[in-house]
Amino acid sequence: MIGAAIRKDVWLLLRDRGALISLFLLPIIFMIAFGSMFNNSSDGKPRPIAVWYAPGDQRGAAIAKTLDETPGFRTELAGSADVVRQRVATEEVGAGLVVPATGPIELSIDLGAPVQVRGPLQGALTSVVMRASSSIPIDKLPPMVEARTPPGLARPLAEITPFQVTVPGNAVLFGFFIALTVAMAFVGERKTGTWRRLLAAPVPRWKALLATLVPYYLVGLTQLAFLFGVGIGVFGMRIAGSIPALVVLSMSVVLCAVSLGLLFAAVARTEKQLGGIGSVVLLVMGMLGGCMFPRLMMPVFMKQLGLCVPHGWALDAYYSVLVREGTSLADIAPSIFAILGFAVVFAGAGIALFRFER
Amino acid sequence: MTAVLSLRGLGKDYGARTAVGAVDLEVQRGECLGLLGPNGAGKTTTISMACGVITPSRGAVAIGGIDLARDPYAAKAKLGLVPQELAIYEELSATQNLRYFGSLYGLAGKRLAGRIAWALDVVGLRDRAVEQVKRFSGGMKRRLNLAAGLLHEPELLILDEPTVGVDPQSRNHIFESIRALRGMGMTVIYTSHYMEEVEALCDRVAIMDGGTIAATGSIAELVAVHAGKGLELELAGSLEITALAAAAAAHHGTVQRDGHVLRLLATGGLAPMIAAIEACGATIARIESREANLETAFLALTGKTLRDES
C-alpha cells in the first residue's frame, strides 16, 4: 500500500509544475545568486586597487610594485588623488591608496561597509604598505606569519569556492521546504475527501500517516541528491570528507524536514495558513541556521542562536564534510544526533497534535 | 435476513454539543436504504461513524456481523464508501486513481487490473480509463468517485449524496450503476437531499433529524403512518399577515411557509388550522389538497422540507 502511495505521489508531483520549480529549480537559482555574491575574487582574477603617488616618488612606486606582486591584488595607477577617491566612491574599485610625498598614506575605503567585508581588505593593504616600507627587500624577508589549521580540525581543501558554502546552504534551506509540501499534501487530502476514503479503508492509522510521509521523504532525498549533483557537476563543488557521512547526514536532514512537515500539518488547517506562516517560519529558521549568510561570518551570539534550529547543525556538518579533508561519519556524529533530536521533537509534537478526525 | 450493517445506540458528541444522539439502525442484506435528513441532521456523522472514519462517543457498529471496534480492518474490508466530496486525484488518470484506491484494500497485480476494468465498466468509464481526471465532466468525476468505492466489491456500499452537481444524464448513469450493483446482491445505503432519488432507488427509508432517527420503514409505511392529509393554501394580503397566520396554524399541525403559500399537515383535523388562519385576518386566495407522499411524511416528521434546508 505504501508502494502504491509512493507511485501516486510521484505522479502527482511530476504533474505539479509549481512544486517541481520550488523544489528543484529555485534552489539552483539561489545557489548561483548567492555563489556570485560571495565570490570576492571576481572569477579568480586579482582585485584592482587604485593607487596614486607623485611622479618620481620612490615610496609610492615601491607600494605599487609590492601590491602588484601580492597574490589577489592588481595595481591600477590613477592620474590624481581625487581620481582614486572618486573610483572608490563609485565602487569601481574596492579600495585605493593615496601616497603623498611625505606624511601618512591614505587608505581610501568605504568605512560604512560592514567590518566583515572591509576588515580583510584593510588588513591586507596595511600589510602591503608595511612590507613596501621595509628597508629589507621583500624577497629577502622571512615569512612573519604562517597560517595553520590547529590540531583537532581537519585540513581544509586548498581552494574553497563560494559554492562549497552556497550549495549546502541552499540545499538545506530548500530541503526543509519539503515540510511545507508534506503539510500541503495533508491539507489537500482532507479538503478533497481522499483522507476520509483512506480512513474508511482497512488500513491502520499509523500506516495512513506513513503513506503520506514516506513518498515525501523519498522526494526530499531525491531533491538533495539532485542539488548536490548539480553542485558537483555544474558548480565544481567538491566533497573533502567521506561520502557515507554526506549520505547519512542528508538522510537525517530530510527526516527532520518531513517530521517538521507533520508538525505543520497538525497545527495548520488551511493552505493559506501554511503558505503564510509556514514559509516565514522556514525562512527564519534558514536565516538563523546560516543558509543565506554563513554562520562563520556571524557574531558569536548569532552563531550560538543558529544552533537552536536544525539548519545550523546541518550546515556545520555539511561544511565539515565538503570542506575538511578526511571528515568521517564519526566526526559529524554530534551534528547528526542533534538533527535527529530535532526530528524526534517535531515528530513527537506532530503525532501528539495530529487529528485524524478533523 | 442477515443485517449487513447494525448500529446500536451510536452517538457522537463534540464537546458539549451532541451531533448524533443514539442511533439504532439495521440494514439487511441486499436492501437499499435511503437516509434522508436536512443539513445538520447527523447523516454524514452517522455514516462516518459507521465507516470508522470518526470514533463514536457511544454505541457500537457491526459490519457483516463483525464489530468495527474489535476488528476494524476485517469490518472495513466489507464496506465501500463513496464520500460526498470528489475524493479522487484530478491530476491522475482514472486507472491511476483506482490502482491507488484498490491498493488500500490489498488488491494488486492481475486481480487489481481485473477489478479496475470491472468498476470502470459498471460506471461506464472504460473508454476514458487513461485520461487525466481533470478533463472529465462533473458527472464523470462523480462516476469515478463511485467506482473507487466499489472497486473491492464490498458487501455494503455507502453513498453520501452521490449526485450532487451532476447533469441528468450522469445522474441516470449513476442510478443504473446502483441498480446493477443491487442486482449483484450488493447492499446499499443512499443519502440524498432529493426525495425522488430515494423514492426511485430505495426499498426502505430512515428519516434523520436533530441527530436521531425520526422514523424508518418502507416508503408506503412512512406515508401511511406519518404523511396525513396535506393542504396547500395561498393567502392574499401582506407577507406579515401570512407569517402571523402560519404561526397560528402551527399550533394545530405542521406548517411550511413559502412566500404567500402555506403547506399544512394537520395533526387533529384541518378545520382548526383554517379557523386559526382566518382569525388572523388572512384571506385564502387558493386552496388545494396535497397528495400524501414521502415529502409530506418528511414534513410531518421534521417540520422541514429537505430541499429548502439543503
Side-chain angles (χ1 to χ4, degrees), chain B residues 247-286:
Chain B
H251 293 294
H252 305 280
T254 306
V255 180
Q256 191 238 331
R257 187 166 75 87
D258 183 7
H260 284 95
V261 175
L262 300 184
R263 292 186 190 92
L264 312 176
L265 275 168
T267 46
L270 284 167
M273 289 189 101
I274 292 175
I277 289 166
E278 287 177 333
C280 295
T283 309
I284 298 171
R286 178 176 64 84

Coordinates of all heavy atoms in Angstrom, one line a residue, chain B residues 247-286:
Chain B
A247 N -47.9 31.1 11.9 CA -47.6 30.8 13.3 C -48.8 30.3 14.1 O -48.7 29.4 14.9 CB -47.1 32.1 14.0
A248 N -50.0 30.9 13.7 CA -51.2 30.5 14.4 C -51.5 29.0 14.0 O -51.9 28.2 14.9 CB -52.3 31.4 14.0
A249 N -51.4 28.7 12.7 CA -51.7 27.4 12.2 C -50.8 26.3 12.8 O -51.2 25.2 13.0 CB -51.7 27.4 10.7
A250 N -49.6 26.7 13.1 CA -48.6 25.8 13.6 C -49.0 25.2 15.0 O -48.4 24.1 15.3 CB -47.2 26.5 13.7
H251 N -50.0 25.8 15.7 CA -50.4 25.2 17.0 C -51.3 24.0 16.7 O -51.5 23.2 17.6 CB -51.3 26.3 17.7 CG -50.5 27.4 18.2 ND1 -49.5 27.3 19.1 CD2 -50.5 28.7 17.8 CE1 -49.0 28.5 19.3 NE2 -49.6 29.4 18.5
H252 N -51.7 23.8 15.5 CA -52.6 22.7 15.2 C -52.0 21.6 14.2 O -52.6 20.7 13.8 CB -53.9 23.2 14.6 CG -54.5 24.2 15.4 ND1 -55.3 23.9 16.5 CD2 -54.5 25.6 15.4 CE1 -55.7 25.0 17.1 NE2 -55.2 26.1 16.4
G253 N -50.7 21.8 13.9 CA -50.1 20.8 13.0 C -48.7 21.4 12.5 O -48.1 22.2 13.1
T254 N -48.3 20.8 11.4 CA -47.0 21.3 10.8 C -47.3 22.2 9.6 O -48.2 22.0 8.8 CB -46.3 20.1 10.2 OG1 -46.2 19.1 11.3 CG2 -44.9 20.4 9.8
V255 N -46.6 23.3 9.6 CA -46.8 24.3 8.6 C -45.4 24.7 8.0 O -44.4 24.8 8.7 CB -47.3 25.7 9.2 CG1 -47.5 26.7 8.1 CG2 -48.6 25.4 9.9
Q256 N -45.5 24.7 6.7 CA -44.2 25.2 6.0 C -44.6 26.3 5.1 O -45.6 26.3 4.3 CB -43.7 24.0 5.2 CG -42.3 24.3 4.6 CD -42.2 24.2 3.1 OE1 -43.0 23.5 2.5 NE2 -41.3 25.0 2.6
R257 N -43.9 27.5 5.3 CA -44.3 28.7 4.5 C -43.3 29.0 3.4 O -42.1 28.8 3.6 CB -44.4 29.9 5.5 CG -44.9 31.1 4.8 CD -45.3 32.2 5.9 NE -44.1 32.8 6.4 CZ -43.5 33.9 5.9 NH1 -44.0 34.5 4.8 NH2 -42.4 34.4 6.5
D258 N -43.9 29.4 2.2 CA -43.0 29.7 1.1 C -43.7 31.0 0.5 O -44.6 30.9 -0.3 CB -43.0 28.6 0.1 CG -42.0 28.9 -1.1 OD1 -41.4 29.9 -1.0 OD2 -42.0 28.1 -2.0
G259 N -43.3 32.2 0.9 CA -43.9 33.4 0.5 C -45.4 33.4 1.0 O -45.6 33.3 2.2
H260 N -46.3 33.5 0.0 CA -47.7 33.6 0.4 C -48.3 32.2 0.5 O -49.5 32.1 0.8 CB -48.5 34.4 -0.6 CG -48.3 35.9 -0.4 ND1 -47.3 36.6 -1.2 CD2 -48.9 36.8 0.4 CE1 -47.4 37.9 -0.8 NE2 -48.3 38.0 0.1
V261 N -47.5 31.2 0.2 CA -48.1 29.8 0.2 C -47.8 29.1 1.5 O -46.6 29.1 2.0 CB -47.5 29.0 -1.0 CG1 -47.9 27.6 -1.0 CG2 -47.8 29.7 -2.3
L262 N -48.8 28.5 2.1 CA -48.6 27.7 3.3 C -48.9 26.2 2.9 O -49.9 25.9 2.3 CB -49.6 28.1 4.4 CG -49.5 29.5 4.9 CD1 -50.5 29.7 6.0 CD2 -48.1 29.9 5.3
R263 N -48.0 25.3 3.4 CA -48.3 23.9 3.2 C -48.6 23.3 4.6 O -47.8 23.4 5.5 CB -47.1 23.2 2.6 CG -46.9 23.6 1.1 CD -45.8 22.8 0.4 NE -45.6 23.5 -0.9 CZ -44.7 24.4 -1.1 NH1 -43.9 24.8 -0.1 NH2 -44.5 25.0 -2.2
L264 N -49.8 22.7 4.7 CA -50.2 22.4 6.1 C -50.4 20.8 6.2 O -50.8 20.2 5.2 CB -51.6 23.0 6.4 CG -51.8 24.4 6.1 CD1 -53.3 24.8 6.3 CD2 -50.9 25.3 6.9
L265 N -50.0 20.4 7.4 CA -50.3 19.0 7.7 C -50.9 19.0 9.1 O -50.3 19.4 10.1 CB -49.0 18.2 7.7 CG -48.5 17.6 6.4 CD1 -47.1 17.1 6.6 CD2 -49.4 16.5 5.9
A266 N -52.2 18.6 9.1 CA -52.9 18.8 10.4 C -52.7 17.5 11.3 O -52.6 16.4 10.8 CB -54.4 18.9 10.1
T267 N -52.6 17.8 12.6 CA -52.5 16.6 13.5 C -53.8 16.2 14.0 O -54.1 15.1 14.3 CB -51.5 17.0 14.7 OG1 -51.9 18.2 15.2 CG2 -50.1 17.0 14.2
G268 N -54.7 17.2 14.1 CA -56.1 16.9 14.6 C -57.2 17.5 13.8 O -58.1 18.1 14.3
G269 N -57.1 17.3 12.5 CA -58.1 17.8 11.6 C -57.7 19.2 11.0 O -57.0 20.0 11.6
L270 N -58.2 19.5 9.8 CA -57.8 20.7 9.1 C -58.6 21.9 9.5 O -58.1 23.0 9.4 CB -58.0 20.5 7.6 CG -56.9 19.6 6.9 CD1 -57.3 19.2 5.5 CD2 -55.6 20.4 6.9
A271 N -59.9 21.7 10.0 CA -60.8 22.8 10.3 C -60.1 23.8 11.3 O -60.2 25.0 11.1 CB -62.1 22.3 10.8
P272 N -59.6 23.3 12.5 CA -59.0 24.2 13.4 C -57.8 25.0 12.8 O -57.7 26.2 13.2 CB -58.5 23.3 14.6 CG -59.1 22.0 14.4 CD -59.5 21.9 12.9
M273 N -57.1 24.4 11.9 CA -56.0 25.2 11.3 C -56.5 26.3 10.4 O -56.0 27.4 10.5 CB -55.1 24.2 10.4 CG -54.3 23.2 11.1 SD -53.2 22.4 10.0 CE -51.7 23.2 10.3
I274 N -57.5 26.0 9.6 CA -58.1 27.1 8.7 C -58.7 28.1 9.6 O -58.6 29.3 9.3 CB -59.0 26.4 7.7 CG1 -58.2 25.5 6.8 CG2 -59.8 27.5 7.0 CD1 -59.0 24.7 5.8
A275 N -59.4 27.8 10.6 CA -60.0 28.7 11.5 C -58.9 29.7 12.1 O -59.1 30.9 12.2 CB -60.8 28.0 12.6
A276 N -57.8 29.1 12.5 CA -56.7 29.9 13.1 C -56.2 30.9 12.1 O -55.8 32.0 12.4 CB -55.6 29.0 13.6
I277 N -56.1 30.4 10.8 CA -55.5 31.3 9.8 C -56.5 32.5 9.5 O -56.1 33.6 9.5 CB -55.3 30.5 8.5 CG1 -54.1 29.5 8.7 CG2 -55.1 31.4 7.3 CD1 -54.0 28.4 7.7
E278 N -57.8 32.1 9.5 CA -58.8 33.2 9.2 C -58.9 34.2 10.4 O -59.2 35.3 10.2 CB -60.1 32.5 8.9 CG -60.1 31.9 7.5 CD -61.4 31.2 7.1 OE1 -62.1 30.7 8.0 OE2 -61.6 31.1 5.9
A279 N -58.6 33.6 11.6 CA -58.7 34.5 12.8 C -57.6 35.6 12.7 O -57.8 36.6 13.4 CB -58.6 33.7 14.0
C280 N -56.6 35.4 12.0 CA -55.5 36.4 11.9 C -55.9 37.4 10.8 O -55.0 38.3 10.6 CB -54.2 35.7 11.5 SG -53.6 34.6 12.7
G281 N -57.0 37.3 10.2 CA -57.4 38.3 9.2 C -56.9 38.0 7.8 O -56.9 38.8 6.9
A282 N -56.3 36.8 7.6 CA -55.8 36.4 6.3 C -57.0 35.9 5.4 O -57.9 35.3 5.9 CB -54.8 35.3 6.5
T283 N -56.8 36.3 4.1 CA -57.8 35.8 3.1 C -57.2 34.7 2.3 O -56.1 34.8 1.7 CB -58.2 37.0 2.2 OG1 -58.5 38.1 3.0 CG2 -59.4 36.7 1.3
I284 N -58.0 33.6 2.2 CA -57.5 32.5 1.4 C -57.8 32.7 -0.1 O -59.0 32.8 -0.4 CB -58.1 31.1 1.9 CG1 -57.6 30.9 3.4 CG2 -57.7 30.0 1.1 CD1 -58.3 29.8 4.1
A285 N -56.8 32.8 -0.9 CA -57.0 33.1 -2.3 C -57.1 31.7 -3.1 O -57.7 31.7 -4.1 CB -55.8 33.9 -2.9
R286 N -56.4 30.7 -2.6 CA -56.4 29.4 -3.3 C -56.3 28.3 -2.3 O -55.5 28.5 -1.3 CB -55.2 29.4 -4.3 CG -55.1 28.1 -5.1 CD -54.0 28.2 -6.1 NE -52.7 28.4 -5.5 CZ -51.9 27.4 -5.1 NH1 -52.3 26.2 -5.1 NH2 -50.7 27.7 -4.5

